Amino acid sequence: MVYEFKARRRVEFSDTDMAGIMHFSNFFRYMETAEHGFFRSLGFSIFDQERLPRIGWPRVHASCDYHKPLRFEDEVEIHLVVVEKRSKAVTYQIRFRKLGGAAPEEVARGQLTVVCVSHAADGTMRATTIPKDIAARIGVAPAALLEG
């Protein structure tokens, strides 16, 4: 079972604000990049058009604490770690580490909780059990990894 995933991105000029630092909202976009990569690493897509009934993964919680800024052209590692897996929901911790210095430096830490939902023909969504083939591939990180 997989419980972590790492992605790298370079801060683009369009990611920055008038102060020249990455706008806070883009940390959430980067979290989504890591989540999608995590699903691909499991052999799935976050949006599987062939799965019936169709499922989705809306966010029910999203937060981020910022410690230091990221700037244009900084390279950042986005480290997703599964904190909790329940029958219908998964919670991720996402750590942002600036690369390129003597050692990676944590600049922010976020958390996402997503719920598995099924889509009805009328467009409504209802929480549903995570499909067994997906749930079987997702593990929960050891406590020691979560402390780091």
Side-chain angles (χ1 to χ4, degrees), residues 49-93:
Q49 297 182 46
E50 297 187 20
R51 184 181 293 272
L52 294 174
R54 269 192 48 231
I55 61 169
W57 300 91
R59 285 87 180 91
V60 295
H61 173 83
S63 65
C64 192
D65 294 317
Y66 310 95
H67 310 297
K68 294 188 176 189
L70 288 172
R71 301 181 190 285
F72 173 56
E73 293 197 349
D74 282 346
E75 187 175 11
V76 61
E77 175 188 81
I78 306 124
H79 185 186
L80 176 148
V81 180
V82 177
V83 174
E84 181 180 26
K85 180 178 82 171
R86 297 188 314 251
S87 65
K88 298 178 182 180
V90 179
T91 298
Y92 309 114
Q93 177 187 89

Side-chain angles (χ1 to χ4, degrees), residues 15-31:
D15 294 332
T16 63
D17 61 16
M18 293 295 289
I21 61 175
M22 189 162 97
H23 192 268
F24 76 92
S25 64
N26 288 315
F27 283 85
F28 293 95
R29 295 168 107 191
Y30 285 25
M31 286 186 214

Side-chain angles (χ1 to χ4, degrees), residues 66-143:
Y66 310 95
H67 310 297
K68 294 188 176 189
L70 288 172
R71 301 181 190 285
F72 173 56
E73 293 197 349
D74 282 346
E75 187 175 11
V76 61
E77 175 188 81
I78 306 124
H79 185 186
L80 176 148
V81 180
V82 177
V83 174
E84 181 180 26
K85 180 178 82 171
R86 297 188 314 251
S87 65
K88 298 178 182 180
V90 179
T91 298
Y92 309 114
Q93 177 187 89
I94 295 105
R95 300 176 194 150
F96 297 87
R97 293 186 182 110
K98 181 179 172 182
L99 304 174
E105 178 181 22
E106 187 170 307
V107 297
R109 188 175 288 210
Q111 187 167 316
L112 281 179
T113 299
V114 297
V115 172
C116 186
V117 298
S118 61
H119 294 271
D122 66 0
T124 59
M125 297 182 292
R126 179 182 209 133
T128 190
T129 302
I130 298 169
K132 290 180 183 180
D133 58 331
I134 296 173
R137 306 280 319 260
I138 299 173
V140 174

